């Protein structure tokens, strides 16, 4: 009898495929970030469409424009803030 461990086993499989050290930490962090981003985008689309009654086309255009703006602004704004 085989039990599928799900996404956790895939992430740990990714970690085992990369040598120990900073490269492994970066690979695992990138995989978790991608998983979180995908979950956020999926949840935000369903909330906008189902709860707020925004047409799906408008949600898609809005998220595309936000992604494009983030791409051209250099990525995450949190990493570029400096304390005054």
């Amino acid at each position: 009898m085989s039990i599928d461990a799900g996404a956790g086993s895939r992430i740990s499989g990714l970690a085992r495929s990369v040598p120990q050290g900073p490269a492994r930490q970066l690979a695992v962090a990138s995989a978790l970030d991608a998983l979180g981003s995908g979950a956020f985008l999926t949840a935000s689309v369903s909330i906008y469409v189902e709860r707020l009654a925004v047409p799906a086309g408008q949600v898609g255009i809005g998220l595309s424009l936000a992604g494009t703006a983030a791409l051209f602004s250099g990525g995450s704004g949190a990493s570029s803030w400096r304390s005054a």
Side-chain angles (χ1 to χ4, degrees), residues 20-39:
Q20 284 188 331
R24 178 182 285 186
Q25 292 173 344
L26 182 61
V28 171
S30 295
L32 291 174
D33 181 53
L35 183 68
S37 295

Side-chain angles (χ1 to χ4, degrees), residues 15-66:
R16 284 192 302 270
S17 67
V18 179
Q20 284 188 331
R24 178 182 285 186
Q25 292 173 344
L26 182 61
V28 171
S30 295
L32 291 174
D33 181 53
L35 183 68
S37 295
F40 172 77
L41 290 174
T42 302
S44 65
V45 167
S46 42
I47 287 171
Y48 286 133
V49 171
E50 296 295 324
R51 304 252 176 173
L52 301 177
V54 178
Q58 286 183 352
V59 173
I61 290 171
L63 290 174
S64 297
L65 290 174

